Amino acid sequence: MGYVTVADGTQIFYKDWGEGRPVVLSHGWPLNSDSWEAQMLFLAGHGYRVIAHDRRGHGRSTQTWQGNEMNTYADDLATLIDILDLREATLVGFSTGGGEVARYIGRHGTTRV
């Protein structure tokens, strides 16, 4: 578990479990990374590195007034993926997390996915 600091100073909390090819999980509204724990345990136990973050304004991440929209969510996710130097990652999201994943690909491409 740890934090990454994004461009505007917001701290994004994340869990990083296991080893192997990375799987990044993006939660729905209004949840946090804890909603993925069953899936994280399963995947980490089957040879994957599993990362789940608390989106800004959720859980243990900074509660921000600004940036609570898809472009910033996607940019925050990009910072996390870059700092952790993830490659060939599988991105999974539901609800708002699905939109975050789609916007990430639209803004940042598939180089790390």
Side-chain angles (χ1 to χ4, degrees):
M1 294 188 289
Y3 288 87
V4 297
T5 303
V6 299
D8 69 358
T10 299
Q11 290 192 308
I12 304 297
F13 173 84
Y14 68 94
K15 298 176 181 184
D16 188 349
W17 298 357
E19 295 179 8
R21 189 169 177 181
V23 177
V24 180
L25 305 173
S26 186
H27 64 80
W29 190 276
L31 305 173
N32 62 34
S33 60
D34 293 345
S35 68
W36 288 110
E37 285 199 349
Q39 294 82 2
M40 292 183 74
L41 284 169
F42 179 84
L43 291 167
H46 286 84
Y48 292 92
R49 179 181 178 189
V50 190
I51 298 97
H53 66 289
D54 291 357
R55 185 177 303 106
R56 66 172 51 222
H58 297 77
R60 291 149 288 218
S61 291
T62 304
Q63 304 294 308
T64 59
W65 184 254
Q66 303 293 330
N68 295 298
E69 38 71 30
M70 284 296 169
N71 286 342
T72 304
Y73 294 161
D75 294 348
D76 291 348
L77 180 58
T79 298
L80 176 68
I81 289 170
D82 289 348
I83 288 174
L84 296 180
D85 194 27
L86 303 180
R87 302 196 184 276
E88 297 184 15
T90 298
L91 305 181
V92 179
F94 71 93
S95 184
T96 304
E100 180 180 34
V101 166
R103 187 64 57 97
Y104 168 86
I105 292 170
R107 287 176 68 82
H108 300 280
T110 58
T111 302
R112 292 183 174 269
V113 180

